[in-house]
Amino acid sequence: MTARRVRVALGARAYDVRVGAGALAGLPAWLRGGSRRAFVVSDEALVAARGKVRRALTQAGWRVDELPVCAGERLKDMGSVYPLYGRLLELGADRHSVLFALGGGTVGDAAGFVASTYMRGIRWVSLPTTLLAQLDSGVGGKTGINHEVGKNLIGSFHQPSLVVCDTDLLATLDDRDVVSGLGEAIKIGLVYDPRFCAYLVRHLAGFLARDARVLNRAIVASVAWKARAVARDEHDRSGEREALNFGHTFGHALEAETRYRGHRHGEAVIWGMRFALALSQVRGVLASREGARLDELLASLPVPPLPRSGSKLLSHVKRDKKARDGRVRFVLLKRPGRVLLDDGVTAGDLEAAWTLLQERTDG
Ligand SMILES: NC(=O)c1ccc[n+]([C@@H]2O[C@H](COP(=O)([O-])OP(=O)(O)OC[C@H]3O[C@@H](n4cnc5c(N)ncnc54)[C@H](O)[C@@H]3O)[C@@H](O)[C@H]2O)c1
Ligand SMILES: [Zn+2]
């Protein structure tokens, strides 16, 4: 087993991300020092992966307790995470215990949040199992749960001490979760790296067919960009990390509007990016030919349709957590690799972008 290493350079809180086929087997070797008491919060559907983690840790002398959970947005809820604190107390987890989050982005976000608040914060290790989580959400220490008003409104920054992306796990993913991961990968390309974006476009078919080389390369490139943004702007203050919200204002609104049942997160982000491209054109920062070209690329991906009525979606957008002084801050695209943050978007701009997006989907 060879695993690529990407470092998240955060001084005293720096950590490694390991990416490779069979990487879970290396887990104990990368976890030196500290307590060997493990609590594995895992997606209950991932029986085989849970076995791999348990065996790897117990063989290295760890004592392991498992806390299976039901994945999905319903897990990112106060009512669902609250019992986890009780289980940890019952099982004797203390301040030195290590929590492992084995699952997709929902398990990572929720378990990371529990780790960040249990006894004022304990160590945690991120073991992402979906493509989306391996190339995006598993890295960077944003943890949290949803509120009925909107997504990710309750949370914290709490960096893991290690991330292990075992690409063997991706074989069992649903096709829709592959598209969903592709959505976040394209986002990273559009925001930071036109060459990576072009690579994804060239290898779209290979990506969707889960060609191991393409997926591996996409994960390593995405993680490297994310690691860089996190190292420079850990707490989302300078705008560098905020750029990763490209497509997310509308995407989150779509997820909330369809009660997290209509679209996978990355699918909603694909729609969100199409909306953000339209808005970038409306705001005059993106040339219309380039906007149309990029929209065509996103439109070629198999994603469930939008609800017909835009009015509720747009009111969700306006309520988004990025709203400041009644205005919503948007990440707009100038061209691949160049984004800007725009505080000046008006209700009229949103309507115009919606109209343009509808023309594109009808045409
Ligand atoms: N913290 C961050 O920085 C960040 C970034 C992006 C997204 N997110 C969050 O991530 C979440 C979406 O993550 P997700 O798409 O991984 O969702 P998810 O955790 O719901 O996983 C999607 C589906 O895949 C299944 N699954 C997981 N691993 C599998 C495997 N190896 N084989 C087969 N099936 C498997 C799950 O059971 C689930 O049904 C959203 O809540 C989003 O807000 C967070
Ligand atoms: Zn996302």
Side-chain angles (χ1 to χ4, degrees):
M1 186 267 312
T2 51
R4 292 283 301 272
R5 182 173 83 113
V6 178
R7 185 92 177 143
V8 184
L10 280 171
R13 277 166 295 108
Y15 57 95
D16 286 335
V17 183
R18 303 279 181 162
V19 182
L24 277 182
L27 182 56
W30 296 318
L31 280 168
R32 296 220 188 82
S35 146
R36 292 193 179 187
R37 188 71 177 95
F39 295 87
V40 183
V41 176
S42 68
D43 181 333
E44 61 186 2
L46 306 178
V47 179
R50 199 157 76 222
K52 282 188 195 175
V53 172
R54 190 195 322 115
R55 278 192 298 279
L57 289 175
T58 48
Q59 276 166 14
W62 285 70
R63 201 172 134 212
V64 180
D65 269 301
E66 290 173 6
L67 296 85
V69 292
C70 179
E73 292 301 325
R74 63 198 148 160
L75 174 66
K76 288 177 61 173
D77 180 86
M78 202 57 100
S80 305
V81 297
Y82 189 72
L84 288 174
Y85 298 99
R87 289 287 292 143
L88 289 170
L89 289 166
E90 235 171 69
L91 293 166
D94 66 21
R95 287 177 39 232
H96 307 287
S97 302
V98 186
L99 196 144
F100 292 73
L102 177 69
T106 59
V107 175
D109 281 9
F113 180 67
V114 169
S116 82
T117 42
Y118 184 73
M119 297 195 172
R120 298 205 176 82
I122 61 173
R123 273 177 76 196
W124 76 292
V125 171
S126 167
L127 305 175
T129 64
T130 61
L131 194 47
L132 181 142
Q134 294 194 354
L135 57 73
D136 188 345
S137 71
V139 179
K142 273 193 185 175
T143 80
I145 56 177
N146 304 327
H147 187 277
E148 62 192 13
V149 168
K151 242 193 132 176
N152 301 336
L153 293 180
I154 301 162
S156 63
F157 289 97
H158 188 51
Q159 299 296 338
S161 33
L162 171 72
V163 182
V164 179
C165 302
D166 186 337
T167 51
D168 280 348
L169 301 177
L170 304 175
T172 51
L173 277 187
D174 192 276
D175 285 342
R176 281 185 64 186
D177 290 305
V178 175
V179 176
S180 180
L182 177 60
E184 296 278 27
I186 292 177
K187 172 200 77 180
I188 289 172
L190 283 176
V191 167
Y192 296 126
D193 186 353
R195 282 180 56 197
F196 176 44
C197 200
Y199 173 85
L200 289 171
V201 173
R202 265 199 322 280
H203 293 89
L204 214 52
F207 192 108
L208 294 172
R210 305 173 207 216
D211 178 315
R213 272 191 51 204
V214 177
L215 292 190
N216 210 73
R217 189 154 168 194
I219 295 166
V220 172
S222 301
V223 166
W225 277 111
K226 183 130 186 211
R228 196 176 134 136
V230 170
R232 291 185 178 185
D233 183 21
E234 182 182 7
H235 298 116
D236 224 344
R237 292 200 181 110
S238 73
E240 179 129 357
R241 191 169 181 180
E242 194 174 350
L244 288 168
N245 281 335
F246 180 63
H248 278 62
T249 308
F250 185 86
H252 284 165
L254 176 57
E255 285 186 273
E257 190 50 39
T258 53
R259 297 178 175 275
Y260 305 105
R261 286 194 285 261
H263 298 80
R264 302 284 210 269
H265 175 68
E267 293 174 335
V269 170
I270 290 170
W271 276 117
M273 290 191 286
R274 295 187 66 185
F275 183 82
L277 289 174
L279 188 62
S280 305
Q281 277 182 244
V282 167
R283 295 286 295 161
V285 300
L286 175 68
S288 52
R289 266 181 68 188
E290 182 70 341
R293 183 183 75 85
L294 294 170
D295 186 75
E296 214 171 290
L297 159 71
L298 295 171
S300 73
L301 304 175
V303 171
L306 284 179
R308 288 314 295 173
S309 154
S311 57
K312 279 195 187 157
L313 266 176
L314 293 186
S315 55
H316 259 292
V317 167
K318 292 171 198 157
R319 255 195 281 146
D320 188 87
K321 69 173 185 295
K322 280 150 236 109
R324 294 163 198 203
D325 308 327
R327 280 170 182 259
V328 182
R329 178 151 148 137
F330 268 92
V331 184
L332 301 184
L333 191 79
K334 277 179 103 161
R335 59 174 183 275
R338 280 297 295 275
V339 292
L340 61 85
L341 301 175
D342 187 351
D343 288 316
V345 173
T346 64
D349 295 331
L350 295 176
E351 301 288 343
W354 173 253
T355 306
L356 176 55
L357 181 57
Q358 280 201 311
E359 280 165 17
R360 283 177 169 162
T361 49
D362 291 343

